[in-house]
Amino acid sequence: MSDTSKYDYDLFVIGGGSGGVRAARVAAGEYGAKVGLAEHDRYGGTCVIRGCVPKKLMVFASGYAATAEEAQCYGWDIKPGPFDWHGFRDRLNSELDRLEDVYRSLLDGSGVDKFDAFASLEDAHTVKLSTGETKTAKHILVATGGHPVRPDLPNADLGIVSDDIFHLEKLPKSILIIGGGYIACEFACILKGLGVEVTQYYRGAQILRGFDEEARGLIAESMRSNGIDLHTGTNIVEMALEADRNEGPQPTASDASMGASVKQAEDMRVQNDGAQAGQRGPIWVKSTNGGEKIFDMVLFATGRDPSTKGMGLEEIGIEIGRRGEIVVDEYSQTAVPSVYAIGDVTDRVNLTPVAIREGMAFTKTVFGDEPTPVDHELIASAIFTQPEMGTVGMSEEDAREQEEIDVYCTSFRPMQSAFAGSTSRVLMKLVVSKKTQVVLGCHIVAPNAGEMIQLAGIAVKMGATKQQFDQTCAVHPTMSEELVTMRDPVRTS
Ligand code: NDP
C-alpha cells in the first residue's frame, strides 16, 4: 500500500534497465507502491539496447554463412552471398526501438512515473534530476548497471568498445580484439562469421578465465580452427593512427599478411575519412611480444565498471568498493538504510536474469514484508561463441580443490556437421562429488549449448546425483544424450 504522506514516492528507481524496470513494475503493479523512475539514456538498459539482445541477433546473423555452406552438403543449391551490414543494422535498430517502446509501455501500464533525466542523490531520501527537479522517496533503488572500460593506454580512444559495434557505419576488413572474457570471445566469433579478419590478443595463458579448463580449451581450439587469429600471453602496448605516424618501424611482410599492407591501409584511410570514432583509419598496434601490425579497427573488450560516477553516493554515506561497485548486503541494502542497489552496479554476478531476480527479491523484502536474500548459487550461463559454451556449477579445477571428484567427459564430432565433413567437436562434461555422487558442475561446448544448459541447470540446482542423471532415459539421437550415458569416469581423484 502506498504511503506518500511524507515523501513524493514510496520508491524511486534510478536506472531503466532490466533490473530497475522489473523492480519498479512489481513494486507499483503488485504492491500498489507509488513509484518514480529516472533513466538518462534508453529504456531497456545494457541487455536490451547494447548487450544481450543485439548481440544475440548478431550471433544469428553470423551463423548463416556456415549454415549455407553446410546446406550444400545436404543437397541444397545454396551459395552464401555478401553480407549486407546496413540492411541488417537498420533492421536491428528498428527492433531495438520496438523493444524500448515495450519497456516504456510496461512502465506506463504499471503506473510508474518516468523521468528522462540523469539522477543523483542529494540525501538518503532525495533524488536530484538533471532537469532541475527534486523528488523525495521513502526508498531509493540504484540500478544503473555498468559500462565498458578501455585500458589505461595512450590513444586508447582510437579503439571502440562493445557499445559501438551496433552503430558502425561499415564493418571493418580487419579487427584486433583485446581481452579474453565473454565479450571478446563472443564478438571474435560473431565478426569472423560476418566475414571480418579477426585477431584476438589475450594477456593470460588461456581465454575465458575462471571457466572449466577443458571447456575453455575446446572453445579456443574451435575459434582458431574457424580462422580467428587468437594469441594468448599477448597484450597491446602501443597504438596510433597509422596516418599520424611519421616515423618508426613498418610492419614486416608476414605481419602485413595478417593485417593489411601499408598500401591497403592508406587506401582504407582515404575511404574511412570522416567516418565515426573507431573508424578513423587503420590503426598501428605494437604488442607485448614486439610484433607490429595494422588493423582497420581495435575493439577493447577489457571489462566493465559499475556506473556510479557523479551520483553523489559516497557523499551521503554509501560504501563504494574497490572496483567502484556499490557495496550491499544479502538483501541488496546499502550502508544507507533507505537506499538499495541491484544489478551490475553491485558487481555480484553480472547477468541480466540475476539483476531481475535481485529486483524481485528487493520488492518482496521492502514492499512484501518478506525478507528475501538473493540466491547466487548454481547460476547457469552461456557464452555465445561458435560453438557455444553452457555452464553451471563448479569447474573441475575448483571442485578438485574442494573435495575428491569423479569426472565424466566425452568429446566427439556431432552428427550434423560431421556429415558435412567438419572436424569440429563438442564436449559434454559432468563433475561429480566422489562422496555424495552429487553433480557439482556441468559443462557443455556445442551448438545451442545455451539452450541445453538451461535444462541441465534445473537438475544441478536440485542437487541431482550422477545416478539420477543415469536413470534418465536418453533422447536419441541428440548430442546431449551423452550427459545421461557416460558410464565410467575419465578421471578420479
Ligand atoms: P570480463 O571481465 O569477462 O573480461 C575482461 C577481459 O579483459 C579479461 O579477459 C581480462 O583479462 C581482460 N582485461 C582486463 N583489463 C585488461 C587490460 N588492461 N589489458 C588487457 N586485457 C585486459 O569482461 P567482459 O567485458 O567480457 O564482460 C563483462 C561482463 O558482462 C561479464 O562479467 C559477464 O558477466 C557479462 N556478459 C555476459 C554475457 C553472457 O552471459 N553471455 C555476454 C557478455 C557479457 P584477465 O582474465 O587477465 O583479467
Side-chain angles (χ1 to χ4, degrees):
M1 281 301 269
S2 176
D3 171 21
T4 46
S5 50
K6 201 164 160 208
Y7 303 105
D8 297 331
Y9 290 100
D10 298 307
L11 171 66
F12 199 96
V13 179
I14 306 178
S18 305
V21 168
R22 178 63 66 91
R25 279 176 53 207
V26 172
E30 280 184 30
Y31 295 105
K34 186 161 194 287
V35 181
L37 183 147
E39 168 58 59
H40 72 118
D41 200 331
R42 297 184 65 184
Y43 287 76
T46 298
C47 172
V48 176
I49 304 297
R50 57 193 84 84
C52 320
V53 172
K55 180 273 307 287
K56 190 80 189 275
L57 290 168
M58 284 186 79
V59 168
F60 294 140
S62 77
Y64 282 103
T67 303
E69 269 178 28
E70 196 173 272
Q72 293 169 4
C73 301
Y74 279 87
W76 288 96
D77 181 17
I78 299 177
K79 288 173 190 57
F83 175 64
D84 173 13
W85 167 248
H86 281 129
F88 169 72
R89 189 198 60 183
D90 293 349
R91 229 184 140 83
L92 176 73
N93 284 321
S94 305
E95 177 62 2
L96 302 185
D97 290 346
R98 186 187 72 79
L99 290 172
E100 186 181 6
D101 282 348
V102 169
Y103 268 69
R104 283 179 178 272
S105 317
L106 285 170
L107 288 169
D108 291 340
S110 307
V112 175
D113 290 343
K114 301 194 306 301
F115 298 90
D116 294 351
F118 182 85
S120 54
L121 297 193
E122 214 163 68
D123 62 42
H125 294 281
T126 310
V127 175
K128 190 166 186 248
L129 300 174
S130 53
T131 52
E133 292 166 277
T134 298
K135 300 290 170 191
T136 57
K138 187 171 182 191
H139 303 285
I140 295 170
L141 178 68
V142 182
T144 45
H147 56 274
V149 286
R150 292 175 172 81
D152 188 13
L153 180 79
N155 291 328
D157 63 333
L158 291 173
I160 61 166
V161 292
S162 58
D163 290 0
D164 304 321
I165 297 248
F166 314 109
H167 306 289
L168 292 177
E169 198 37 55
K170 64 177 192 176
L171 282 184
K173 187 167 179 294
S174 63
I175 193 165
L176 170 65
I177 299 179
I178 309 290
Y182 281 81
I183 295 180
C185 295
E186 289 184 341
F187 276 108
C189 294
I190 289 169
L191 293 169
K192 182 68 199 168
L194 296 179
V196 178
E197 289 167 27
V198 178
T199 304
Q200 184 178 352
Y201 290 170
Y202 173 52
R203 63 186 179 181
Q206 184 57 283
I207 54 167
L208 298 171
R209 181 165 60 83
F211 290 96
D212 185 86
E213 236 166 71
E214 217 165 3
R216 61 209 271 247
L218 181 54
I219 294 286
E221 186 188 313
S222 308
M223 286 171 67
R224 287 192 174 107
S225 66
N226 287 341
I228 293 166
D229 188 18
L230 169 63
H231 299 252
T232 50
T234 308
N235 204 354
I236 187 170
V237 281
E238 265 185 81
M239 66 191 295
L241 214 52
E242 174 60 7
D244 289 348
R245 291 179 68 234
N246 297 321
E247 54 188 32
Q250 296 298 310
T252 63
S254 63
D255 287 340
S257 69
M258 296 176 84
S261 70
V262 174
K263 169 75 177 67
Q264 280 172 325
E266 280 169 1
D267 291 343
M268 284 177 209
R269 179 172 58 80
V270 174
Q271 283 170 27
N272 284 340
D273 260 357
Q276 63 195 88
Q279 293 195 299
R280 281 181 279 178
I283 299 167
W284 166 86
V285 166
K286 188 169 181 180
S287 62
T288 39
N289 59 18
E292 297 177 40
K293 289 178 189 165
I294 291 169
F295 300 93
D296 272 2
M297 197 175 281
V298 174
L299 166 65
F300 287 112
T302 43
R304 295 174 60 85
D305 278 355
S307 295
T308 54
K309 212 170 157 200
M311 291 185 65
L313 301 176
E314 277 175 299
E315 289 83 335
I316 67 157
I318 291 173
E319 190 188 345
I320 301 291
R322 204 171 49 84
R323 297 174 310 277
E325 79 281 12
I326 297 180
V327 177
V328 290
D329 67 10
E330 59 185 328
Y331 301 102
S332 300
Q333 192 171 28
T334 71
V336 175
S338 58
V339 182
Y340 289 72
I342 56 163
D344 288 8
V345 76
T346 62
D347 200 21
R348 286 175 282 181
V349 180
N350 297 334
L351 298 169
T352 300
V354 177
I356 291 173
R357 283 181 161 250
E358 288 167 356
M360 302 280 281
F362 156 78
T363 53
K364 223 174 193 178
T365 301
V366 172
F367 297 102
D369 210 17
E370 199 183 322
T372 307
V374 184
D375 178 6
H376 289 109
E377 292 299 313
L378 292 171
I379 294 167
S381 72
I383 306 164
F384 294 98
T385 40
Q386 179 59 261
E388 294 175 10
M389 187 203 291
T391 179
V392 61
M394 270 190 271
S395 66
E396 177 180 342
E397 296 70 39
D398 286 349
R400 185 167 286 121
E401 285 204 354
Q402 177 185 285
E403 61 184 281
E404 292 195 337
I405 52 168
D406 291 330
V407 177
Y408 297 82
C409 187
T410 178
S411 182
F412 55 95
R413 291 168 65 207
M415 185 194 259
Q416 185 175 353
S417 56
F419 179 81
S422 165
T423 56
S424 67
R425 290 182 302 122
V426 299
L427 176 131
M428 303 284 155
K429 178 167 181 177
L430 294 177
V431 179
V432 177
S433 161
K434 207 177 186 53
K435 188 166 162 216
T436 63
Q437 288 299 296
V438 166
V439 175
L440 303 171
C442 175
H443 311 284
I444 302 174
V445 176
N448 296 315
E451 302 291 346
M452 296 181 207
I453 205 68
Q454 178 65 82
L455 304 179
I458 300 171
V460 175
K461 182 76 183 164
M462 289 174 73
T465 60
K466 176 68 171 66
Q467 285 69 24
Q468 287 168 321
F469 270 68
D470 294 347
Q471 283 160 9
T472 308
C473 191
V475 178
H476 183 73
T478 62
M479 293 178 278
S480 50
E481 67 180 300
E482 297 292 332
L483 289 175
V484 296
T485 56
M486 292 186 283
R487 293 286 161 246
D488 300 311
V490 291
R491 282 181 293 283
T492 180
S493 63

